[in-house]
């Protein structure tokens, strides 16, 4: 198991060379997105189309053998990899039988691999980090120490994989795109510049350069390189026994000197250094840089900056200082110092997701970059604590992704205010998306008192998708992605108006059971097969609480600001208690018709006319909507069994049938269905007691670290979602899903149940911290599998909620 070795969260773990599944993030604000494994594996990229090293996913953690390493061809012994990348080292016996000593040390955000030769008195360390500068590269230092009494002679070869193109080409035209490669050798290393970016919709000239450079510690240069991957490996070799390493005569024949150009091949940054005889008690270092650059001159400049004498220590200090200063904005100080330091790794995770989005780490192999709408707003909860100076601008910019129908773009681009309708160009709506912006905004207002933010103006997002994805417009009222009025002028509304539209649209968009329709899915993206008659009772509860809070903040706004509350006149249709045409909320058909009338009126954009609403009238309208919804759920969605159990139904499937309760296959219960009714105050104290009793007996499983997401339905529910095709206990089908479990703890704290709440947080912490079982470095994963292994590390909203709850 790992242990902390200082007061800022640096950890160390011994004999970790048998664990290939953990990975460690290597990133900076400039956009370098990498990862490294205990054996030097992993990859690096700046986006989907610019991968420095071959892209990897979770399965590649076990079988990718092209890794970052330094080979030493040791006299009278033979080749040896400082990261254990040879066949002989991987086949070594268990540690008690004489396997090499191996350790990993991790700091914020730097990674060190330490290894001792099994038979020779050689100790090596390979330290890697990403400079905190406006440059997209990583820097590595490999130090070799002779701990013996005699000289050790070796010939070193640094090897770092090169890929140099889009992740799409890993399977689509892999060989063809290698024919575009032009790699050349300079005195400092290997440079790769493909002639074009391959895209059958339209190929484009390429200027991006991928480079691997290195020097000895005092500036000594390589004697040559092996830039051609095929020739480096050789006909009888492989990645774990490259012929250029194992056959000295062959290596002499294929070694490329500076000035050599190789074309049309897979590339590698394999740099050969002069042979060295290392005396007893001496050490020798090599410093390497690998990165992605706009051109070759930028790569050469970076090489000069990061590999000059003293540069590694300087940049490493700046890296450590940068990340620790950022994390010092929030520090835990409890009776458990190990927990306090573990929380530093939880705290960095929302920042990492701001950098990586939901892609670009081995388990996060879905999507092509960018953050999802829900992820963005939930991460704002933590960033309010970690990076408060960014948040006001971020919040205001993000509201530009809201459509006038109350839905939103689902993917956030790299620049503020940049949005994409959907990463896969599928017309759909996640019904929970409208709820999250209010939570983040109100936390900001609560912490700062800045209620004026609610009156700030922002544009709306517009595209062909309309009426909650039920219509495709031939002539959307927009220029680019900005909504226009009937008259063709850009339309903006207050943040409050955006929030009203998100909640009013959802409130009226109900199914036959009078709860908000599930549509494409809710928070659980895998509930994606009930678009017609599915309903999310769980998130209907969250919307109810939000309506109540929104009404309260309107009252506070009226007290604190003299500015009038102006809204688009069309919205009065949905403020039926305020606009003078009240509806019977018990009638779902009338609610749906009212919403459709609003959609019809605004199909070609709003008129641009605004009306002033009295705060007390607006507050009363929102209060009545909230109270009706709470009563409806409390009295109509509570299920009981003859054994005395009781909990809330969370969903209706695509047949319009209730999902939870007593079934022939057994009791069916979801954690999500309880969390939001508890958090929102819909569950009474008596109901909360029964929920806890039911959850303990139906969902708690200490072997996987706490509450499961659902019971085993023992059915592939094609009328609800893909998750029921997953093996039970994995991901959204019954795993111990950290995100919802932490939100349950948060809800229990709000309901004054601290012992039950801390039990959840403690269990997650204990499960994640036991790296023998979890197989992960410090932090919180998305979920734990049935064997207790933590999966989908670093990029999970559970970190934001855990930090917020603590």
């Amino acid at each position: 198991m790992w242990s902390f070795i200082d007061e800022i969260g640096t950890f160390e773990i011994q004999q970790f060379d048998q664990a290939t599944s953990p990975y460690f993030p290597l990133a900076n604000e400039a956009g370098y997105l990498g990862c490294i494994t205990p054996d030097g594996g992993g990859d690096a990229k700046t986006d989907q189309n610019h991968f420095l090293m071959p892209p990897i996913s979770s399965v590649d953690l076990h079988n990718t053998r092209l890794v970052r390493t330094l080979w030493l061809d040791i006299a009278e012994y033979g080749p040896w990899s400082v990261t254990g990348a040879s066949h002989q080292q991987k086949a070594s016996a268990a540690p008690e039988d004489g396997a090499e000593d191996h350790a990993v040390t991790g700091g914020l955000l730097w990674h060190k691999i330490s290894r001792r030769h099994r038979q020779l008195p050689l100790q090596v360390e390979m330290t890697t980090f990403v400079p905190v500068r406006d440059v997209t590269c990583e820097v590595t230092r490999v130090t070799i120490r002779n701990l013996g009494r005699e000289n050790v002679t070796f010939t070193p070869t640094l090897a770092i994989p090169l890929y140099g193109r889009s992740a799409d080409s890993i399977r689509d035209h892999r060989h063809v795109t290698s024919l575009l490669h032009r790699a050349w050798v300079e005195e400092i290393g290997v440079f790769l510049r493909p002639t074009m970016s391959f895209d059958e919709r339209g190929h484009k000239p390429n200027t991006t350069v991928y480079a691997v450079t290195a020097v000895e510690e005092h500036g000594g240069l390589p004697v040559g390189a092996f830039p051609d991957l095929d020739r480096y490996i050789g006909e009888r070799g492989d990645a774990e026994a490259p012929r250029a390493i194992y056959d000295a005569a062959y290596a002499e024949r294929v070694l490329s000197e500076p000035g050599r150009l190789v074309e049309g091949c897979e590339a590698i940054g394999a740099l050969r250094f002069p042979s060295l005889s290392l005396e007893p008690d001496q050490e020798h270092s090599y410093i390497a840089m690998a990165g992605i650059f706009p051109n070759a001159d930028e790569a050469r400049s970076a090489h000069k900056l990061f590999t000059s004498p003293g540069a590694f220590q300087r940049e490493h200090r700046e890296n450590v200082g940068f990340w620790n200063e950022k994390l010092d904005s929030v520090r835990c100080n409890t009776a458990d110092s190990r927990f306090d330091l573990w929380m530093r790794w939880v705290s960095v995770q929302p920042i990492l997701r701001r950098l990586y989005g939901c892609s670009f780490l081995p388990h996060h192999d879905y999507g092509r970059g960018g953050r999802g709408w829900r992820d963005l707003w939930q991460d704002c909860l933590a960033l309010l604590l970690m990076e408060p100076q960014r948040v006001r601008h971020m919040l205001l910019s993000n509201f530009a992704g809201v459509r006038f129908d109350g839905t939103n773009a689902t993917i956030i681009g790299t620049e503020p205010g940049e949005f994409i309708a959907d990463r896969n160009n599928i017309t759909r709506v996640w019904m929970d998306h409208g709820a999250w912006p209010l939570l983040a905004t109100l936390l900001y207002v609560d912490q700062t008192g800045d209620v004026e933010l609610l009156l700030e103006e922002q544009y709306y997002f517009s595209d062909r998708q309309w009426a909650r994805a039920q219509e495709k417009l031939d002539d959307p009222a927009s220029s680019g992605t900005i909504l226009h009025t009937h008259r063709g002028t850009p339309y903006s509304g207050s943040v409050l108006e955006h929030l009203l539209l998100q909640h009013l649209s959802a409130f009226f968009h109900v199914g036959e059971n009078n709860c908000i329709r599930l549509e494409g899915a809710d928070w659980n993206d895998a509930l994606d097969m009930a678009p017609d008659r599915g309903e999310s009772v769980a998130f209907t509860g969250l919307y109810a609480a939000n309506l109540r809070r929104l009404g309260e903040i309107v009252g506070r706004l009226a007290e604190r600001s003299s500015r009038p509350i102006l809204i688009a006149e069309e919205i009065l249709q949905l403020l039926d208690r305020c606009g003078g045409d009240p509806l019977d909320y018990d009638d779902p058909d009338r609610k749906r018709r009212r919403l459709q009338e609003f959609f019809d009126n605004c199909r070609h954009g709003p008129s641009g006319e605004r009306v002033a609403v009295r705060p007390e009238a607006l507050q009363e309208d929102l209060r009545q909507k909230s109270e009706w919804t709470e009563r409806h759920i409390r009295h109509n969605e509570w299920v009981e069994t003859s054994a005395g159990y009781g909990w809330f139904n969370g969903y209706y499937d695509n047949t319009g049938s209730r999902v939870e309760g007593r079934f022939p296959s057994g009791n069916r219960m979801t954690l999500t269905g309880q969390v939001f009714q508890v958090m929102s105050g819909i569950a009474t104290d008596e109901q909360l007691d029964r929920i806890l009793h039911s959850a303990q007996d139906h969902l708690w499983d200490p072997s996987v670290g706490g509450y499961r997401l659902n019971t085993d339905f023992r059915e592939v529910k094609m009328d609800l979602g893909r998750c029921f095709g997953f093996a039970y206990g994995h991901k959204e089908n019954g795993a111990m899903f950290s995100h919802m479990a932490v939100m349950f703890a948060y809800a229990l704290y709000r309901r004054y149940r601290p012992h039950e709440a801390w039990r959840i947080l403690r269990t997650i912490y204990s499960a994640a911290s036991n790296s023998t079982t979890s197989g992960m470095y410090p932090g919180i994963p998305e979920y734990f599998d049935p064997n207790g292994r933590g999966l989908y590390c670093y990029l999970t909203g559970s970190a934001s909620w855990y930090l917020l709850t603590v």
Side-chain angles (χ1 to χ4, degrees):
M1 293 176 62
W2 47 258
S3 58
F4 291 113
I5 59 175
D6 60 23
E7 298 303 312
I8 59 175
T10 306
F11 66 88
E12 185 176 77
I13 186 165
Q14 300 289 331
Q15 297 304 138
F16 216 42
D17 56 343
Q18 300 302 315
T20 55
S21 60
Y23 48 88
F24 187 89
L26 296 171
N28 67 3
E29 298 275 0
Y32 189 84
L33 306 171
C35 67
I36 189 168
T37 63
D39 63 353
D43 65 16
K45 77 295 293 179
T46 55
D47 57 34
Q48 176 74 6
N49 297 315
H50 298 88
F51 271 73
L52 172 67
M53 305 174 195
I56 68 166
S57 59
S58 58
V59 68
D60 300 311
L61 294 169
H62 302 281
N63 59 25
T64 295
R65 300 279 62 88
L66 276 173
V67 300
R68 308 166 176 90
T69 194
L70 180 75
W71 290 94
L72 302 179
D73 187 5
I74 305 171
E76 300 180 5
Y77 178 82
W80 183 70
S81 163
V82 303
T83 60
S86 72
H87 286 301
Q88 297 97 317
Q89 290 164 282
K90 291 183 179 300
S92 63
E96 59 269 19
D97 296 329
E100 295 171 348
D101 289 333
H102 175 263
V104 169
T105 306
L108 295 155
L109 280 173
W110 57 272
H111 183 272
K112 181 171 72 176
I113 300 168
S114 303
R115 182 176 293 274
R116 183 165 179 173
H117 199 287
R118 186 177 180 184
Q119 296 174 322
L120 300 176
L122 282 182
Q123 172 77 42
V124 295
E125 291 181 351
M126 187 176 94
T127 303
T128 305
F129 67 92
V130 179
V132 287
R133 293 176 179 267
D134 189 22
V135 63
T136 49
C137 70
E138 63 182 54
V139 181
T140 297
R141 181 180 65 189
V142 183
T143 299
I144 305 144
R145 298 185 181 92
N146 183 355
L147 305 178
R149 297 180 179 180
E150 298 179 357
N151 286 11
V152 178
T153 301
F154 54 80
T155 302
T157 305
L158 174 81
I160 296 179
L162 277 173
Y163 177 71
R165 51 205 191 269
S166 169
D168 295 339
S169 299
I170 200 70
R171 172 64 181 81
D172 184 11
H173 293 89
R174 173 73 185 260
H175 176 256
V176 168
T177 52
S178 73
L179 302 180
L180 304 174
H181 280 184
R182 302 294 186 270
W184 68 93
V185 179
E186 297 191 6
E187 286 187 334
I188 57 175
V190 174
F191 291 67
L192 169 64
R193 183 173 57 216
T195 56
M196 64 177 68
S197 297
F198 184 91
D199 187 337
E200 291 183 288
R201 295 168 296 183
H203 309 302
K204 297 178 181 178
N206 171 67
T207 58
T208 301
V209 168
Y210 307 84
V212 173
T213 67
V215 295
E216 295 184 87
E217 57 185 339
H218 299 302
L221 296 171
V223 297
F226 307 100
D228 183 328
L229 178 63
D230 287 341
R231 300 193 76 182
Y232 167 74
I233 288 176
E235 287 295 335
R236 296 189 301 276
D238 61 31
E240 294 178 341
R243 192 175 176 194
I245 303 298
Y246 280 75
D247 185 337
Y250 173 81
E252 283 189 23
R253 293 199 307 272
V254 300
L255 183 68
S256 296
E257 296 181 352
R260 172 75 185 277
L261 171 70
V262 295
E263 301 180 292
C265 62
E266 292 284 355
I268 186 171
L271 311 182
R272 170 64 56 86
F273 282 91
S275 297
L276 176 71
S277 183
L278 193 61
E279 296 180 2
D281 297 323
Q282 282 195 338
E283 65 180 37
H284 194 77
S285 295
Y286 300 87
I287 300 172
M289 181 208 71
I292 304 171
F293 304 94
N295 52 61
D297 285 341
E298 293 279 353
R300 297 182 190 108
S301 296
H303 167 85
K304 185 180 298 185
L305 177 63
F306 298 127
T307 64
S308 60
F312 186 89
Q313 293 90 330
R314 179 194 69 230
E315 297 297 327
H316 190 228
R317 283 195 304 270
E318 291 191 11
N319 173 277
V320 172
F322 174 86
W323 287 104
N324 280 288
E325 181 181 1
K326 190 177 285 289
L327 294 181
D328 279 345
S329 60
V330 174
R331 294 197 71 142
C332 291
N333 191 0
T334 72
D336 183 351
S337 60
R338 192 169 190 259
F339 174 80
D340 300 340
L341 295 174
W342 179 77
M343 279 299 300
R344 288 178 75 77
W345 289 94
V346 174
S347 300
V348 79
Q349 291 183 220
I351 300 173
L352 292 175
R353 193 154 75 160
R354 176 172 60 76
L355 301 177
Y356 284 88
C358 289
S359 305
F360 302 139
L361 284 178
H363 283 104
H364 298 83
D365 56 358
Y366 43 79
R368 303 166 62 83
R371 286 168 289 170
W373 178 263
R374 179 192 312 123
D375 311 318
L376 177 80
W377 290 98
Q378 292 191 92
D379 289 343
C380 280
L381 298 172
L383 296 177
L384 272 163
L385 305 176
M386 302 301 303
E387 301 178 319
Q389 71 280 1
R390 293 176 175 266
V391 172
R392 192 184 200 276
H393 176 68
M394 185 185 299
L395 290 173
L396 186 58
S397 296
N398 294 343
F399 277 105
V402 177
R403 294 187 184 89
F404 202 72
D405 69 353
T407 65
N408 52 268
T410 61
I411 299 299
I412 289 78
T414 56
E415 300 298 326
E418 180 185 354
F419 300 97
I420 304 168
D422 182 73
R423 67 162 54 98
N424 296 316
N425 295 317
I426 302 172
T427 300
R428 56 184 168 180
V429 169
W430 282 267
M431 63 81 62
D432 67 302
H433 278 187
W436 301 111
L438 182 68
L439 297 185
T441 302
L442 290 187
L443 179 61
Y444 169 81
V445 171
D446 287 343
Q447 290 203 23
T448 65
D450 182 15
V451 293
E452 289 286 327
L453 172 67
L454 297 171
L455 298 179
E456 292 280 350
E457 297 271 316
Q458 182 56 279
Y459 293 115
Y460 285 87
F461 182 78
S462 178
D463 61 357
R464 293 186 62 199
Q465 187 168 306
W466 180 247
R468 302 190 71 90
Q470 297 176 91
E471 299 181 29
K472 277 285 190 73
L473 302 178
D474 293 329
D475 53 343
S478 62
S479 176
T481 59
I482 296 178
L483 178 70
H484 282 53
T485 66
H486 293 167
R487 301 182 181 90
T489 57
Y491 178 77
S492 63
S494 67
V495 167
L496 176 61
E497 183 183 277
H498 286 68
L499 291 167
L500 286 171
L501 281 170
Q502 289 181 302
H503 286 79
L504 295 173
S505 175
F507 175 80
F508 287 98
H509 192 59
V510 295
E512 60 204 69
N513 298 288
N514 219 340
C515 291
I516 301 173
R517 288 182 56 192
L518 183 57
E519 300 174 283
D522 66 5
W523 166 89
N524 188 340
D525 290 324
L527 298 180
D528 58 348
M529 300 176 71
D532 304 312
R533 299 174 67 186
E535 299 172 45
S536 175
V537 184
F539 277 88
T540 300
L542 179 56
Y543 276 104
N546 279 5
L547 287 165
R548 182 175 66 248
R549 287 292 320 272
L550 195 52
E552 292 168 357
I553 205 70
V554 165
R556 184 62 56 85
L557 183 61
E559 296 171 4
R560 297 280 297 275
S561 176
S562 60
R563 296 164 64 184
I565 296 178
L566 299 174
I567 62 172
E569 63 176 356
E570 291 87 351
I571 299 177
L572 288 178
Q573 293 176 274
L574 304 180
L575 294 169
D576 56 302
R577 301 305 200 253
C578 186
D581 187 13
L583 287 179
D584 175 8
Y585 294 155
D586 288 325
D587 187 340
D589 289 333
R590 291 193 65 189
K591 290 165 76 173
R592 288 192 294 266
R593 286 199 299 271
R594 177 61 62 90
L595 183 62
Q596 188 59 49
E597 291 170 3
F598 170 78
F599 291 153
D600 293 342
N601 288 342
C602 303
R603 181 174 287 109
H604 301 294
S607 65
E609 299 296 325
R610 302 188 192 184
V611 295
V613 293
R614 292 183 301 111
E616 57 272 20
L618 177 56
Q619 188 173 6
E620 178 63 17
D621 182 285
L622 298 173
R623 184 187 66 81
Q624 290 194 35
K625 287 179 168 63
S626 173
E627 290 183 353
W628 178 89
T629 308
E630 291 175 354
R631 287 194 304 272
H632 176 79
I633 294 174
R634 188 178 293 128
H635 298 298
N636 294 294
E637 299 300 339
W638 180 254
V639 298
E640 296 183 340
T641 72
S642 57
Y645 295 113
W647 63 89
F648 283 100
N649 172 52
Y651 295 94
Y652 287 90
D653 62 25
N654 214 36
T655 69
S657 301
R658 179 174 282 174
V659 168
E660 298 183 51
R662 180 65 184 169
F663 287 79
S665 60
N667 288 339
R668 292 182 176 180
M669 181 181 183
T670 69
L671 185 62
T672 311
Q674 318 319 310
V675 167
F676 295 105
Q677 316 314 347
V678 173
M679 185 188 298
S680 304
I682 292 174
T684 66
D685 286 342
E686 188 273 335
Q687 287 175 324
L688 175 52
D689 287 335
R690 297 182 68 184
I691 287 171
L692 284 168
H693 175 62
S694 302
Q696 173 65 33
D697 284 6
H698 292 88
L699 299 176
W700 183 266
D701 187 342
S703 67
V704 296
Y707 288 111
R708 291 181 179 270
L709 198 55
N710 54 270
T711 56
D712 188 353
F713 282 22
R714 295 181 173 85
E715 176 186 353
V716 180
K717 279 190 68 63
M718 299 295 290
D719 54 9
L720 186 54
R722 66 177 186 260
C723 63
F724 295 101
F726 301 161
Y728 182 68
H730 292 267
K731 220 166 188 298
E732 291 97 342
N733 187 18
M736 203 306 291
F737 214 92
S738 301
H739 196 163
M740 192 52 60
V742 173
M743 292 180 75
F744 193 30
Y746 179 85
L748 290 171
Y749 275 118
R750 291 189 63 170
R751 297 295 297 272
Y752 308 106
R753 304 298 180 97
H755 296 291
E756 295 89 343
W758 171 237
R759 179 193 185 210
I760 298 171
L761 297 186
R762 184 185 65 234
T763 303
I764 294 172
Y765 159 60
S766 299
S769 298
N770 183 3
S771 56
T772 304
T773 302
S774 68
M776 57 180 287
Y777 296 139
I780 186 171
E782 181 181 272
Y783 75 96
F784 296 89
D785 73 10
N787 297 316
R789 181 165 294 271
L791 298 171
Y792 292 75
C793 305
Y794 301 112
L795 310 183
T796 165
S798 55
S800 294
W801 279 92
Y802 203 106
L803 177 62
L804 180 67
T805 304
V806 170

